[in-house]
Amino acid sequence: MPLQLIAANDSHCTFARDLTRRAMLPYYREYDLLWIEEAFDQAWAWREQWLICEGDSLLGFCSLSQDREALFIRELHLLPEHRGRGVGSWVLETLAVWAGQRRLPLLRLMVFRSNPARLLYQCHGFVEMGEDDCFVRMQRVIDNG
């Protein structure tokens, strides 16, 4: 079955929040940050939310925003049993295509410094642009031909 990104709606917020919390809580603890459920819910309202699906199976979700320069990946999370199968790579390449279709020159994200996903992002053309105590800012230049 082919992978798809399908627009999420408010009924998917609980799934996305729980998945994000499970994936990110170890990093929040590592960097002594506070997870705030309400902050996730508020961001849900103004971001683009997409479900990552394979047929009828829900594999994860991603959350996006954009400005005049970039499509910004705010969240990208897969259920543990779907990690390591190339799904994340497919999502990153699909979002790069979307950025190009939107005539945006950059695809951006932030990742916790200790998150091994940094290597995945580097393999997909993301370059580290700076970091602070917790996060690394990364971007990929999009060729709009």
Side-chain angles (χ1 to χ4, degrees), residues 3 6 12 16 19 27 57 68 75 87 89 93 95 98-99 102 113 139 142:
L3 295 168
I6 298 171
H12 301 110
L19 178 58
Y27 299 108
S57 297
R68 293 182 349 189
E75 307 284 351
V87 176
S89 292
E93 291 307 314
L95 296 178
W98 285 13
R102 297 177 188 197
R113 290 174 54 178
Q139 73 180 24
I142 304 299

Side-chain angles (χ1 to χ4, degrees), residues 75-108:
E75 307 284 351
L76 171 52
H77 303 290
L78 297 172
L79 291 165
E81 61 269 26
H82 298 295
R83 296 177 190 151
R85 305 188 316 139
V87 176
S89 292
W90 177 85
V91 172
L92 292 172
E93 291 307 314
T94 299
L95 296 178
V97 170
W98 285 13
Q101 290 169 343
R102 297 177 188 197
R103 312 304 285 162
L104 297 169
L106 300 168
L107 185 58
R108 289 184 168 152

Side-chain angles (χ1 to χ4, degrees), residues 1-71:
M1 289 244 144
L3 295 168
Q4 293 180 290
L5 288 174
I6 298 171
N9 60 47
D10 288 346
S11 72
H12 301 110
C13 182
T14 300
F15 163 78
R17 182 189 332 105
D18 291 349
L19 178 58
T20 302
R21 182 180 55 244
R22 282 195 313 268
M24 293 293 102
L25 212 47
Y27 299 108
Y28 275 71
R29 288 182 179 134
E30 177 182 353
Y31 293 102
D32 200 27
L33 300 173
L34 181 64
W35 170 264
I36 302 172
E37 303 267 312
E38 295 79 17
F40 183 94
D41 292 353
Q42 288 173 355
W44 182 268
W46 63 267
R47 293 179 181 166
E48 287 182 53
Q49 311 293 349
W50 297 91
L51 302 176
I52 305 165
C53 299
E54 186 174 36
D56 292 336
S57 297
L58 183 54
L59 311 184
F61 96 105
C62 65
S63 181
L64 309 173
S65 65
Q66 87 177 52
D67 59 23
R68 293 182 349 189
E69 281 193 336
L71 184 61

Side-chain angles (χ1 to χ4, degrees), residues 107-133:
L107 185 58
R108 289 184 168 152
L109 58 82
M110 285 177 32
V111 60
F112 278 105
R113 290 174 54 178
S114 58
N115 189 330
R118 282 171 74 173
L119 296 174
L120 174 67
Y121 302 140
Q122 290 170 340
C123 288
H124 286 274
F126 285 83
V127 176
E128 296 183 0
M129 302 302 293
E131 61 183 86
D132 61 25
D133 291 343

